[in-house]
Amino acid sequence: MLLAVDAIPSRVSKKIIGHLSIVGLCATLVTLIWFYVNEKTGSLFNGMYVLDTMAIYFKIFVVVSTILVASMSIDSIERFPAFKGEYYFLVLMSALGAMLMASANDLVSIFVTLEFTTFGFYILVAYLREDSKSNEAGLKFFILGAFTAGILAFGISLIYGATGKLILTDIAQEIGEPSAALIAGFLLLFAALGFKIGAVPLHTWIPDVYHGAPTPVTAFLSVAPKGAALAILLRIFFVTLSGFSAEWVWLLVLVAIISMTYGNIVAIAQRNMKRLLAYSGIAQIGNVVIGLAAANKMGGESIMFYLWAYLFANLGAFAVVISVAHVINSEEIEDYNGLNRRSPFLAFAMLLFLLSLAGVPPLAGFIAKLYIFVAAMKAGLIALVIVGLINVVISMYYYLIVVKKMYINEPSDPSPVTISPIMTVGISVAIAGTLILGIYPKPFIAWTVDATQMFNHINFITMTQSLTLPFGG
Amino acid sequence: MIDTWLLPLILFAPVFGAVALLFVSNQQRFLVQMIAAGSSFISFILSFYLLYAYDHTIGGYQFVQRFEWSENLGIAFSLGVDGIAVPLVLASSILLFTGTFISWHIKDRLKEFYISLLILAAATIGVYVSLDLFFLYFFYELSVLPMYLLLGMWGSHTKSYNEMKDTKKRDFVGFILNFTSNSKEYAAMKLVLFLSAGAVVALLGILLIYVGSGLNTFDIPTLAKHSEFSGTMATIIWLLIFFGFASIAPLWPLHSWSPVGHAAAPAATSMLHAGVLMKLGHFSIIRVGYEILPEATRDLMPIAAVLCVFSIIYGGWVAYSQNDTKYVIGYSSSSHMGYVFLGMAALTYVSLTGAVLYMFAHAMATGLLFALAGWVYDQTHTRDIPSLGGLSKKMPFATGCFVVAVAASFGLPGTVSFIGELMILLGSWNKYPVQTIIAVLAIVVTLAYLLRMLRGVFFWEPGKTIPHETELKWAHVQDTNGFVNRMPLLVMIACTIYFGIFPGQFIDVIGSSVEPLLAKIHGGTESGVLP
Amino acid sequence: MLEEIFFPTQIGFPILSVLVFLPLLGAMLVWMMKSDELLIRIAGIAITSMEFLLTVWLLFTFKTHTAAMQFVEQIDWIPAIGISYHLGIDGISVLFIGVTAFLSLLTMLFSWDLSIEKVKGYVMALLALQTTVMGILVSLDLVLFFVFWELMLIPSYFLIKLWGTGKLKEHAALQYVLYTLTGSMLMLIGIIILDLNYQEVALAQNIQPAHSFDFLALLTVPMSEEKQLLVFLLLFFGFAAKAPIFPFHTWLANALASGPIAVSVALAGIKLGTYGFLRFSIPLLPDASRTLLVPLSILALMGIIYGAFVALAQSDLRRLLAFSSISHLGFVILGLFALNFHGLQGGLLQMINLAFTTAGLFFIAGFLYSRGLQGDLTHYGGLVTHMPALAGFFLVIGLASVGFPGTNGFVGEFLILLGAFKVHWAFGSIGVLGVILGLAYIMWYYERAMLAPPQETVIKDDLTGERPVSTLRDLNPREWVIALSLTVMIFWIGLYPTPFFEIMDASIQAVADRVNPSTRFAALP
C-alpha cells in the first residue's frame, strides 16, 4: 500500500519529465489526502515503519514542497550543462527518502531513510560540475554528511546497547534511570539530526552549501529534509523522551536561543541573497526548536504549522531568487535594487515571503510564530519567548533592507524582468499559501491538532507552576 | 441589516479597495483614484453613521460581530466598538478619506501608494474595532509595514541630508546616525524597528495575559470579566503592555522615531500617522491595560503622569527650535500626546472623556497641518522655514486653512480641541495640579511655535533687496484649487468646528464607556463618576 | 442667587445672541462678496449701524433699578461638565455693549476712506472682533466667556499683523498674543478650580449636575479663602495681561503704536480686562478681593504714577496714549478695589468714559496719521493754525481723558478718588497726584505739537512722500461726525450722568453688598 504511494513515475526525458513528475507528485498528494480523510493508518515491520496522522502530515508536507521545487526547477534545468533527466530522478528519490523519514519509527529505519535522503542531495548539491562553488559545496556536504552518519550510527548503537530496543515507543518503556551511555546516545542522535535541520552549533555547512548548490536544490534542501528530520525529532523527544522533558528542555532552549540570535545577527551582514536566506533559515530553525522546547502538544502543533509557513515563504523566496537570477545572472542583494520597477509581481511576492519569514501579519509567518510563542509561554519558557521576540525585531531589519532595495532604491538597469508561466504558477501558489495560512489558518490548525493526537499524553509544565520561578526557563 | 455589517464594512472597504487596486494598471490613473476614493468614502460615511447609531444610553460594546477563527487557540475574529473606539474609528476614516484626496497628484506608483495607504488605514481601524487581543495585535502589527513602504518609497529626505555632498558619508550619516539630517530610508527603518520593538513588548504582555489567565481565550470582554492576576504578575504585565504600546503613542522617552517619521513621510501618511496611528498606543493601553488590569492601572498610571510632563515640555521645546515644518508639527504632536496621557492618568470621568475627545480633535488638527505642510512642500519643494515666506499672497486659501489648523492645534475655543483640552485640565487638576499647570503653560508654547511657523511660511518676507523678490521666487506656486484639493481641508475644518460647537453626541458616546471603565478601576467606591 | 429675567418677557427675540452673531454673519456675508471695495465698506457700516440701533433699542428696553440679569438666554451646551450657553446682561455689562457698538460704528466710519490693502479681510476681521467682544460682554457661563475671550486673539492678531502701521507690527502681534494667551491660560486654571469647588459642594449636597461653570451658580457656593486667593491670582493674570495692568503692560505700547487705529480703539477703548475684574473676580471671590485690597491698590497707584511719568517722556503720540492708558487703568483698578460703592461706581463709569476719551484720542491720532503726521509730532509745532477743528477736538477729548471738570473724566475720577479716600487717605492723595501728572503730560504734548511756534515745515511720510505742512487740511465731514459724537458723549456724562448711574447703580450695589455685607452706602443722586 505504501509503496504504491511512493512509486513515482520518473525517468522519461527532457523537459516533459519535469511536468510529468509534477503530475505524479500531485497524484501522490491526492492519495495522501485520501488516506488522511479516510483515516488510513497502519504500521509495517513490527512498528518500524508507521503510517499515523503525523506521518501523513509530514508526507504531504514533503510532497507539496517537492511539487513546488519541481515547478521552479523546470526553467533552471534547461540551463544545466548535463544530466537534465537525472535531476528529477534524484529529487524524487530524495523526496521519497524524506517521506520515508516521516514514517520512520525505529532507530534503524531512521538511519536508513536519513541516509537515503542525503545521498540524493550529495549529488544534487554538486550538480553543476563546471562550477567550483558547487563542487566545493558538494564536497563539504558530503564530508560533513558522512561524518554525521557516523555520529548517528554511533548514537544508535549506544542506545541499542543500553536498552536493547530499536523501536522508539519501546525504548520509552525501557528507560528507567538513564545511564551515561544512553544520554550520550541520545545526544549523538540529536547532534546528527541537528545537522540535518541546521541548528547552531551544527549549522556551519549551511551557508556554503546553500550558496554553492544550484538554487532549486538549495530550496529543496532548505525545506523537505528539515521537515522530515523534525518529524523524527518530534517522535524522539515527544514520544521516547517525553518523561525527561525537564532534562532536555535546557538543551533545546540553549540551541533555540543560539540559533535564532546567531542566524539573525549574521544575516544582517550578508550581501548574497542565498546566504541571507541560509542564515535566516538557521534563525527560523531556532524558532522551531522553541516549539520543541515547549515540550507540550501545542509545541508539536505549532512546529508543524510553522513548517508550512516556512515552506511557502522559503520556497517562494527561492523561486524569486531563481527567477531573478535567470535574467540578471546574479544573486547579490545589491542587484535587487528597484526590482519593484522591473517586475512588480516578483517584488511583491518577495515582499510577502520575506515579511512572512519576519512574522508580519496577515501572513502565515505571523500566526506560526505566535503559535510557537504561545506554546512556549504555556510551558513557562518566558525567557525564551523574550529572546524570540527580540529576534523578531532583529530579523525585521535585514528583511526590510531587502525590501528597501527592491522598493525604494532605483534600479541600475530598468529593463523588465520576465518570468515563465510555470514559475508564475509556482510563486502564486506560494503566495496563496502564505496568505491563506495567515488569514484563515483555522483548518490548518485543526489539522495539526489532529495530526498530533499521539502527543495528548504529554504532561507539560503548566503555567501556574512555572511562573513562580520569575522568568525561569 | 446595516448594523450587522457595519463594522466589517468600515473595516474591509479599504481592504477591498486595496485588493481591487492590485488588478488595475497604474496607467489608468483616474480609475485608481476613483477606487481609492470610493472605498475610503464608504468607510467615511459609515463611520459617521456609526457615531450617531451608537446608542449611548446602553453603552458597552455594540455592533458586535463574532466569527470563530481558531477554537484551539481561543481566537475569534470579534468586532465591536465601545464609546472610546467610535471617535477614533471616525477619525481614521476621515483621515483616510481626506488623505486619499491629498495624495491625488502623486506621480510615482500611485496605485501602490493607495494600496499602502488603504491597508494602513484598515489596520488602524482594525485595532479600534477588535474585541480580541489577538486581532488587536494582528492589526497593530499590520500597520507597521505600509508605513515603511509609504515613507521609503514616497517620502522625502530632510534638507540637511540633501545638502550633504559626500555620497559615502551621506549614506553612512544619513542612514545610521543622524537625526535632523536623516534620509527617508533611515526614518522608515527607525520607525519600523521602534514600532516592532514596542509591539513585541506588548505582545509579551498579551501572551502573559492569555496564558496567565488560564481561560484559553483572547477575547477581551471575557478576559476583562473573568481573569485574575496576582499583584506582581499584574504589575509586570501592565508595565509590558504600557511601555509596549506607549512607544507608538509616543510617550517620552520612546518618542524619537515619530518626528523623524513625520518628516520623511508624504502628507497623507503623516496625517494618518499623527492622526490615528499614534492613538493606537493610547487606545490599546485603555483597551488592554484598563479593561483587563484595572487595579494595576490605578496603581501604576502615575508613571504616565510623570512621563507626560517630559513629553509635553520636551516636545514643545524641540518643536520651537526646528526649522523643518514637518519636524515642528511632528514634535508638536508628540507634545500634544502628553496631554492625552495626562488625561488618561488622572482617571476621572471628565479627564478620560476629554482625553479621548482630544485624540479625535488632535487627529483633525494635525491632519490639517500636515496636509497643508504637504501642499506647501509640493509647491515649493522645501520644508525649510527660513527658505519659505511670503506665501500668503500666492495661496490665500491655504493660508486661511493653516490659520484654522493652528487655532485647532493649540486649542482655540470653538474648535473641538478646546473642549478636549478643557476636559483634560478640568479632570486632572485635583489629582495632578503641577502637571496641569505645566500643560496649560505649554499651550502658550504651542501657540508660539505654531505662529512662528505660520509667520515663517506664509507671511514673513526677506529683506526686499530685489523688487518683487518673493513674487518671482514663488512664480510657479499655486494655491489649493479645485474640489480635489480643497474638499479634504474643508472636511477637516468642518469636523473641527462642528464638533467644537456641538460636542454633545461625542461626549455622550465616550462617556457611556468611560463611566463603567472607571467604576471598575476605582472599585466602584470612589469613582468620581458623574451620573 | 441673582434674579434672572429671560428675554421673552422683555423683548420678543434673543437679542443678545443677535447682537453677538450679527457681526459674524456680516463677516461671512462680506466674505462671499466680490472684492468690490466700496460695497464691502458700505456693508461694514451697514452691519455696525444695525448693531448700534439694536443696542439703542436694548438700552431703552433695559430695566433700571434692578440688579437682575436681563435678556437671559440659556441652553445646555456640554451638560456632562455643566457648560451651558448662558447669556445675560445687567447694569455692569449693558453700558459696555452700548460702547462697543458705538465704537465699532465709529471705527467703520473712520476706516471709510483709509487706503487699506485687502479691505475685505480688514472688514471681516473688524466684524469678527466685534462678535468676540460682544460675546465676552454677554456671557454668563465662564467657559463661554473664555471661548470668546480666546477667540478675540485671532482677529486682533491679524489686524495688528496684517494691517498694522508700525515697523514692529509682526513683533507686536506675536507679543500681544503670547502675553494675553499666557494670562488667559492661567485664568483657565482658575476657572477650572472654580468649577471643582462647585463640584465639591455639589457632591456633598447631592446637587445634580455636579459640574457648573455658570456665573450665577458659582455665586451660590461658598469657597475657602485660600482657594479664593489662588483663583483670584490666576484670574488676575488673565485679566491683568489683557487690561493691561502694570507690570503686565509691556505689550500694550507696541501693539497700540504698531497696530492699526481700529485695534488701538478696540484694545484701549473697551476695557475688557478691568471688566473681568468687576464682572467675575470681585463678586465670585469677595474674601480674596478684600484681602488683596491693599496690595492691589498699591499696584494701581504704581501703575498710575508709572504710566504718567513714562507718558511724559514720550514724543510719539500713540506711545503716549498707550502709557496714559496704563495710568488710566490704574485709576480704574484703584476705584474697583476700593471695594465700596463709590469706588466701584467710579471704576465702572471711568471704564465707560475711557471708551470715549482714549478711543477718541486714538481717533485723533488716526486723523493725524492719515494726514501723514506720525511718530514724533513735537517737532512740528503750530499745527493748530492749519487744523483748528482737529486741534479743538484734540483739546476737549484730551482734557476729558485726564478728568477736567465738566467732562465725563471728572465725574469718574472724582468718584474713584472718593472711594479711595474712604479706604485710606494716602491712596486718595497719591491718586490726585496722578490726575495732576495726567494734566501735565497731555497739556505739555499738546502745547509742543499744536501751539508752539512752527518749526518743521515739511512732512516726511512713507505714504505720501514729502510735502509742506501748509497743505494740511482740516477735518472732513466724516471726521467731524466722529469727533462730534464723541464730544457729545463726553459732555453728556460730564454734565448729566444720572441716566448712566440709574442703569448701573443697582448692580453696583449688589456687588458692593456682596463684597462688604456689613456696610451699605447710599447711592449718589
Side-chain angles (χ1 to χ4, degrees):
Chain A
M1 180 174 67
L2 280 166
L3 293 174
V5 175
D6 296 337
I8 293 157
S10 59
R11 290 218 74 175
V12 188
S13 82
K14 299 286 174 184
K15 199 172 176 178
I16 309 156
I17 305 175
H19 296 287
L20 269 180
S21 47
I22 291 175
V23 172
L25 285 163
C26 289
T28 318
L29 184 62
V30 171
T31 322
L32 281 167
I33 292 171
W34 180 77
F35 274 2
Y36 177 74
V37 172
N38 292 298
E39 294 173 7
K40 296 276 181 203
T41 54
S43 63
L44 280 178
F45 318 122
N46 298 325
M48 280 171 68
Y49 187 90
V50 291
L51 184 68
D52 50 14
T53 47
M54 194 176 97
I56 297 181
Y57 187 97
F58 277 101
K59 281 179 204 294
I60 293 178
F61 177 82
V62 171
V63 172
V64 171
S65 66
T66 316
I67 292 175
L68 282 172
V69 168
S71 71
M72 64 172 97
S73 303
I74 291 174
D75 284 350
S76 310
I77 301 309
E78 296 304 311
R79 303 155 71 91
F80 284 1
F83 305 119
K84 291 173 184 170
E86 284 79 357
Y87 173 83
Y88 291 104
F89 172 71
L90 289 166
V91 166
L92 293 177
M93 278 303 116
S94 295
L96 177 61
M99 284 167 73
L100 292 172
M101 269 167 89
S103 284
N105 194 35
D106 88 326
L107 296 174
V108 173
S109 54
I110 287 175
F111 182 80
V112 172
T113 54
L114 208 131
E115 289 312 307
F116 182 23
T117 316
T118 319
F119 279 135
F121 280 112
Y122 289 151
I123 306 167
L124 282 171
V125 168
Y127 216 77
L128 301 173
R129 282 194 308 181
E130 313 295 322
D131 183 357
S132 65
K133 271 200 218 142
S134 178
N135 283 331
E136 182 198 326
L139 190 61
K140 211 173 214 171
F141 189 49
F142 178 69
I143 293 172
L144 284 170
F147 180 60
T148 317
I151 292 177
L152 183 62
F154 188 42
I156 288 173
S157 64
L158 279 176
I159 297 169
Y160 182 66
T163 60
K165 302 281 181 186
L166 283 172
I167 300 201
L168 292 175
T169 35
D170 294 351
I171 297 171
Q173 285 143 18
E174 285 299 318
I175 313 171
E177 275 301 299
S179 63
L182 193 61
I183 294 171
F186 274 109
L187 277 178
L188 290 172
L189 198 59
F190 178 59
L193 289 164
F195 172 84
K196 291 288 155 212
I197 61 174
V200 176
L202 302 154
H203 64 281
T204 43
W205 59 277
I206 287 199
D208 291 337
V209 172
Y210 276 27
H211 188 188
T215 315
V217 176
T218 311
F220 194 36
L221 191 59
S222 74
V223 175
K226 283 189 184 176
L230 274 165
I232 295 175
L233 279 172
L234 275 173
R235 282 182 202 276
I236 292 178
F237 280 112
F238 282 27
V239 177
T240 313
L241 296 174
S242 65
F244 301 91
S245 57
E247 282 78 21
W248 51 258
V249 153
W250 291 104
L251 179 68
L252 292 181
V253 166
L254 213 64
V255 169
I257 289 180
I258 300 176
S259 292
M260 286 187 297
T261 316
Y262 174 83
N264 279 329
I265 290 180
V266 178
I268 291 175
Q270 298 311 313
R271 297 261 175 273
N272 181 289
M273 200 66 205
K274 278 162 83 180
R275 290 187 86 87
L276 182 124
L277 286 173
Y279 280 106
S280 107
I282 295 174
Q284 301 289 338
I285 284 301
N287 279 317
V288 172
V289 177
I290 295 180
L292 270 183
N296 51 26
K297 179 173 180 299
M298 198 182 215
E301 295 162 13
S302 62
I303 290 177
M304 287 159 68
F305 186 81
Y306 195 99
L307 282 173
W308 278 106
Y310 176 70
L311 175 144
F312 287 123
N314 219 35
L315 286 185
F318 275 114
V320 176
V321 173
I322 295 169
S323 312
V324 173
H326 276 184
V327 178
I328 62 178
N329 263 327
S330 163
E331 285 148 3
E332 297 300 304
I333 299 178
E334 214 44 52
D335 294 320
Y336 281 72
N337 275 349
L339 186 61
N340 175 248
R341 292 203 191 281
R342 306 181 67 178
S343 167
F345 174 71
L346 279 182
F348 179 66
M350 194 65 165
L351 174 77
L352 287 186
F353 299 140
L354 291 180
L355 292 175
S356 178
L357 288 174
V360 169
L363 306 170
F366 170 71
I367 314 292
K369 282 204 169 127
L370 198 78
Y371 205 161
I372 280 190
F373 290 147
V374 168
M377 208 71 173
K378 283 211 163 163
L381 302 171
I382 299 179
L384 188 54
V385 174
I386 292 175
V387 176
L389 288 173
I390 293 172
N391 272 290
V392 170
V393 180
I394 300 176
S395 69
M396 203 82 150
Y397 178 75
Y398 62 81
Y399 291 127
L400 282 182
I401 292 281
V402 180
V403 173
K404 169 181 172 271
K405 305 260 182 208
M406 293 191 303
Y407 275 86
I408 298 171
N409 290 7
E410 294 299 323
S412 47
D413 166 22
S415 62
V417 173
T418 49
I419 46 172
S420 63
I422 183 92
M423 205 64 160
T424 317
V425 172
I427 294 176
S428 302
V429 169
I431 291 178
T434 306
L435 280 171
I436 292 172
L437 246 62
I439 294 169
Y440 192 63
K442 193 174 163 184
F444 294 90
I445 290 177
W447 184 21
T448 58
V449 170
D450 190 49
T452 50
Q453 293 297 342
M454 55 193 289
F455 303 139
N456 275 344
H457 64 286
I458 301 173
N459 296 322
F460 51 83
I461 312 166
T462 59
M463 184 74 182
T464 35
Q465 286 164 354
S466 64
L467 283 183
T468 48
L469 313 164
F471 292 89
Chain B
M1 182 61 200
I2 179 87
D3 285 5
T4 320
W5 291 101
L6 188 56
L7 292 182
L9 265 177
I10 293 176
L11 173 57
F12 287 114
V15 176
F16 289 140
V19 173
L21 280 176
L22 278 177
F23 302 101
V24 180
S25 155
N26 251 329
Q27 259 61 50
Q28 299 158 290
R29 273 184 75 88
F30 187 69
L31 188 60
V32 170
Q33 289 161 338
M34 274 327 236
I35 291 176
S39 53
S40 57
F41 184 71
I42 295 173
S43 284
F44 176 70
I45 285 296
L46 290 178
S47 303
F48 271 101
Y49 175 76
L50 178 70
L51 174 66
Y52 289 95
Y54 183 90
D55 186 350
H56 62 80
T57 52
I58 303 171
Y61 297 114
Q62 298 185 10
F63 308 104
V64 175
Q65 288 290 303
R66 198 181 156 87
F67 311 97
E68 286 306 325
W69 199 66
S70 166
E71 286 93 346
N72 188 45
L73 286 172
I75 301 171
F77 185 57
S78 175
L79 300 179
V81 285
D82 62 357
I84 296 170
V86 169
L88 295 169
V89 171
L90 179 61
S92 310
S93 53
I94 291 175
L95 289 184
L96 169 63
F97 181 61
T98 51
T100 312
F101 283 86
I102 295 286
S103 327
W104 206 256
H105 305 294
I106 284 180
K107 292 193 180 61
D108 179 32
R109 290 179 279 191
L110 183 69
K111 172 181 108 175
E112 282 86 348
F113 180 87
Y114 276 137
I115 292 176
S116 306
L117 193 72
L118 288 166
I119 295 284
L120 172 64
T124 55
I125 295 174
V127 173
Y128 296 136
V129 300
S130 289
L131 288 186
D132 189 279
L133 272 181
F134 171 82
F135 274 100
L136 187 137
Y137 182 79
F138 179 97
F139 285 118
Y140 186 90
E141 269 283 332
L142 182 58
S143 65
V144 173
L145 179 81
M147 282 299 289
Y148 180 80
L149 293 179
L150 285 167
L151 261 67
M153 290 169 74
W154 296 276
S156 50
H157 304 302
T158 58
K159 179 170 176 257
S160 34
Y161 177 78
N162 279 331
E163 280 171 357
M164 266 187 272
K165 290 282 171 278
D166 182 354
T167 46
K168 262 193 183 160
K169 185 177 156 216
R170 195 162 124 152
D171 275 352
F172 178 72
V173 174
F175 197 79
I176 299 181
L177 289 171
N178 220 319
F179 178 57
T180 50
S181 58
N182 57 277
S183 62
K184 57 185 185 180
E185 290 88 355
Y186 167 83
M189 187 61 89
K190 181 167 186 172
L191 179 135
V192 167
L193 293 184
F194 256 79
L195 290 189
S196 309
V200 297
V201 172
L203 177 62
L204 192 62
I206 290 175
L207 289 179
L208 280 170
I209 290 175
Y210 171 70
V211 177
S213 70
L215 297 170
N216 195 38
T217 179
F218 281 101
D219 190 49
I220 293 174
T222 314
L223 286 168
K225 206 174 277 173
H226 300 297
S227 64
E228 276 174 22
F229 297 94
S230 67
T232 342
M233 196 61 206
T235 309
I236 293 170
I237 297 177
W238 192 90
L239 287 174
L240 289 170
I241 295 283
F242 180 78
F243 283 103
F245 286 126
S247 69
I248 199 176
L251 183 63
W252 186 92
L254 306 169
H255 64 280
S256 69
W257 59 274
S258 172
V260 173
H262 282 309
T269 313
S270 294
M271 286 164 62
L272 275 171
H273 171 184
V276 284
L277 192 70
M278 274 156 57
K279 278 85 174 183
L280 294 187
H282 304 105
F283 175 80
S284 306
I285 291 173
I286 294 178
R287 191 38 68 78
V288 183
Y290 284 32
E291 294 268 7
I292 298 176
L293 303 158
E295 284 90 4
T297 306
R298 191 183 55 221
D299 299 339
L300 295 172
M301 211 49 201
I303 296 176
V306 174
L307 290 179
C308 75
V309 174
F310 292 95
S311 268
I312 291 172
I313 296 178
Y314 181 80
W317 173 52
V318 178
Y320 192 83
S321 59
Q322 293 299 323
N323 272 338
D324 183 315
T325 49
K326 283 196 161 180
Y327 264 110
V328 174
I329 310 171
Y331 274 104
S332 99
S333 288
S334 70
S335 166
H336 286 162
M337 287 305 97
Y339 289 85
V340 179
F341 272 113
L342 177 61
M344 283 167 64
L347 289 175
T348 59
Y349 171 81
V350 175
S351 73
L352 192 52
T353 309
V356 178
L357 187 62
Y358 190 75
M359 286 191 231
F360 175 83
H362 180 256
M364 295 300 111
T366 327
L368 262 178
L369 283 174
F370 273 120
L372 288 161
W375 178 263
V376 169
Y377 179 74
D378 284 347
Q379 295 297 319
T380 64
H381 306 289
T382 178
R383 299 190 307 251
D384 188 43
I385 295 175
S387 335
L388 290 163
L391 286 173
S392 65
K393 290 205 184 80
K394 296 295 285 190
M395 37 175 87
F397 187 85
T399 311
C401 292
F402 200 87
V403 171
V404 178
V406 166
S409 186
F410 89 93
L412 186 82
T415 63
V416 65
S417 322
F418 169 70
I419 315 268
E421 253 171 34
L422 178 72
M423 290 180 81
I424 290 174
L425 299 175
L426 178 63
S428 313
W429 172 262
N430 273 339
K431 209 162 183 183
Y432 301 113
V434 180
Q435 280 89 333
T436 310
I437 290 189
I438 291 170
V440 162
L441 293 179
I443 293 174
V444 182
V445 179
T446 305
L447 184 62
Y449 60 70
L450 288 177
L451 284 183
R452 179 175 163 270
M453 180 163 70
L454 175 70
R455 189 181 127 187
V457 174
F458 290 105
F459 292 110
W460 174 84
E461 289 181 28
K464 287 177 182 163
T465 44
I466 313 162
H468 305 297
E469 187 184 337
T470 37
E471 281 83 352
L472 290 174
K473 189 172 168 193
W474 304 134
H476 301 291
V477 168
Q478 285 186 331
D479 194 5
T480 47
N481 45 19
F483 175 79
V484 165
N485 296 325
R486 290 192 175 181
M487 189 278 292
L489 301 174
L490 292 176
V491 164
M492 286 186 275
I493 290 176
C495 286
T496 301
I497 293 176
Y498 178 79
F499 291 117
I501 297 172
F502 304 105
Q505 177 69 13
F506 257 136
I507 292 177
D508 288 341
V509 166
I510 299 169
S512 67
S513 294
V514 164
E515 201 178 309
L517 188 59
L518 286 175
K520 198 161 130 194
I521 289 171
H522 293 297
T525 47
E526 28 125 15
S527 58
V529 171
L530 268 178
Chain C
M1 189 188 264
L2 279 172
E3 222 182 299
E4 291 183 73
I5 306 173
F6 284 82
F7 70 89
T9 57
Q10 286 187 295
I11 202 162
F13 60 101
I15 186 165
L16 297 184
S17 290
V18 173
L19 279 176
V20 172
F21 292 108
L22 181 69
L24 191 66
L25 279 176
M28 286 178 181
L29 202 70
V30 170
W31 185 33
M32 284 174 223
M33 283 180 182
K34 294 257 159 48
S35 37
D36 177 352
E37 292 208 359
L38 186 70
L39 198 63
I40 288 171
R41 287 176 203 253
I42 290 175
I45 290 180
I47 291 156
T48 42
S49 314
M50 274 167 70
E51 183 91 350
F52 181 67
L53 291 176
L54 275 173
T55 317
V56 173
W57 186 6
L58 179 80
L59 280 167
F60 278 109
T61 329
F62 187 83
K63 276 189 200 162
T64 54
H65 304 296
T66 171
M69 286 294 166
Q70 308 189 23
F71 305 100
V72 174
E73 302 165 29
Q74 186 165 22
I75 309 167
D76 274 348
W77 184 24
I78 310 177
I81 48 174
I83 300 175
S84 60
Y85 177 77
H86 192 183
L87 306 183
I89 51 169
D90 63 355
I92 295 172
S93 41
V94 70
L95 289 175
F96 276 95
I97 291 178
V99 163
T100 306
F102 181 62
L103 289 183
S104 301
L105 178 57
L106 291 193
T107 310
M108 281 295 173
L109 271 177
F110 171 78
S111 313
W112 174 258
D113 61 355
L114 286 187
S115 59
I116 311 168
E117 275 183 57
K118 293 180 262 185
V119 176
K120 194 179 190 175
Y122 179 80
V123 171
M124 280 168 62
L126 277 183
L127 290 172
L129 187 66
Q130 195 185 0
T131 282
T132 58
V133 173
M134 284 291 181
I136 291 171
L137 295 173
V138 300
S139 298
L140 287 183
D141 187 283
L142 283 167
V143 170
L144 192 63
F145 164 78
F146 185 80
V147 167
F148 288 116
W149 185 266
E150 288 285 276
L151 281 176
M152 194 185 156
L153 292 181
I154 298 287
S156 30
Y157 174 76
F158 283 104
L159 279 171
I160 299 177
K161 185 187 176 75
L162 298 181
W163 292 281
T165 51
K167 288 199 178 71
L168 286 172
K169 59 181 183 181
E170 297 259 335
H171 172 70
L174 194 64
Q175 196 186 17
Y176 162 70
V177 167
L178 292 185
Y179 259 76
T180 46
L181 186 71
T182 312
S184 41
M185 281 301 143
L186 292 169
M187 183 168 83
L188 182 62
I189 300 185
I191 294 175
I192 284 172
I193 300 175
L194 280 172
D195 167 67
L196 291 171
N197 179 64
Y198 179 89
Q199 189 198 11
E200 249 169 54
V201 177
L203 286 177
Q205 299 175 357
N206 244 336
I207 299 173
Q208 295 303 338
H211 282 276
S212 177
F213 287 95
D214 197 290
F215 173 62
L216 300 179
L218 293 174
L219 282 174
T220 58
V221 296
M223 196 172 186
S224 70
E225 194 175 338
E226 296 78 48
K227 235 185 218 172
Q228 284 199 18
L229 281 173
L230 177 63
V231 175
F232 189 93
L233 212 64
L234 290 167
L235 294 189
F236 178 79
F237 283 119
F239 295 139
K242 187 84 146 201
I245 291 168
F246 173 85
F248 301 98
H249 62 275
T250 41
W251 62 267
L252 185 74
N254 285 337
L256 295 195
S258 308
I261 294 296
V263 168
S264 309
V265 168
L267 291 185
I270 304 163
K271 303 289 183 196
L272 291 174
T274 40
Y275 167 80
F277 282 118
L278 182 56
R279 168 90 290 162
F280 297 112
S281 291
I282 297 177
L284 282 173
L285 313 158
D287 299 335
S289 308
R290 267 202 308 280
T291 314
L292 293 173
L293 187 151
V294 176
L296 281 171
S297 300
I298 292 174
L299 203 62
L301 290 171
M302 284 165 74
I304 293 174
I305 305 297
Y306 169 85
F309 270 115
V310 179
L312 265 177
Q314 299 302 319
S315 55
D316 180 331
L317 179 59
R318 283 160 77 180
R319 292 190 80 84
L320 177 134
L321 293 179
F323 283 102
S324 87
S325 179
I326 291 163
S327 177
H328 292 150
L329 279 165
F331 275 109
V332 174
I333 294 291
L334 186 67
L336 292 182
F337 283 92
L339 295 178
N340 50 37
F341 180 82
H342 287 139
L344 290 168
Q345 197 186 28
L348 177 56
L349 186 68
Q350 187 66 357
M351 287 188 244
I352 306 296
N353 291 339
L354 290 173
F356 299 120
T357 54
T358 310
L361 286 173
F362 272 106
F363 279 126
I364 298 284
F367 297 157
L368 291 168
Y369 179 80
S370 64
R371 287 165 172 72
L373 295 166
Q374 52 178 321
D376 187 359
L377 302 183
T378 52
H379 58 257
Y380 288 112
L383 293 175
V384 68
T385 49
H386 308 293
M387 305 176 288
L390 192 149
F393 282 118
F394 190 178
L395 183 65
V396 171
I397 300 174
L399 287 177
S401 86
V402 295
F404 196 74
T407 64
N408 59 354
F410 176 74
V411 185
E413 287 191 356
F414 174 78
L415 285 170
I416 288 172
L417 292 173
L418 185 62
F421 267 116
K422 284 190 176 152
V423 177
H424 198 277
W425 62 267
F427 293 167
S429 320
I430 300 172
V432 172
L433 184 67
V435 178
I436 298 165
L437 280 173
L439 206 57
Y441 65 69
I442 202 79
M443 285 333 300
W444 189 36
Y445 195 89
Y446 189 79
E447 196 271 334
R448 282 181 292 170
M450 298 287 167
L451 305 176
Q455 297 167 351
E456 193 91 33
T457 51
V458 176
I459 301 170
K460 284 178 193 138
D461 176 24
D462 295 344
L463 294 175
T464 49
E466 291 193 9
R467 59 204 172 92
V469 172
S470 54
T471 58
L472 284 174
R473 47 187 179 75
D474 205 358
L475 296 182
N476 62 26
R478 194 177 42 79
E479 292 168 336
W480 262 97
V481 171
I482 295 173
L484 197 62
S485 57
L486 286 164
T487 315
V488 167
M489 291 308 296
I490 285 169
F491 284 113
W492 182 10
I493 302 178
L495 300 173
Y496 183 62
T498 320
F500 295 90
F501 288 139
E502 273 176 0
I503 288 175
M504 64 173 74
D505 275 352
S507 299
I508 291 290
Q509 187 68 53
V511 175
D513 287 350
R514 187 169 166 81
V515 77
N516 283 321
S518 53
T519 47
R520 283 172 180 260
F521 294 86
L524 203 76

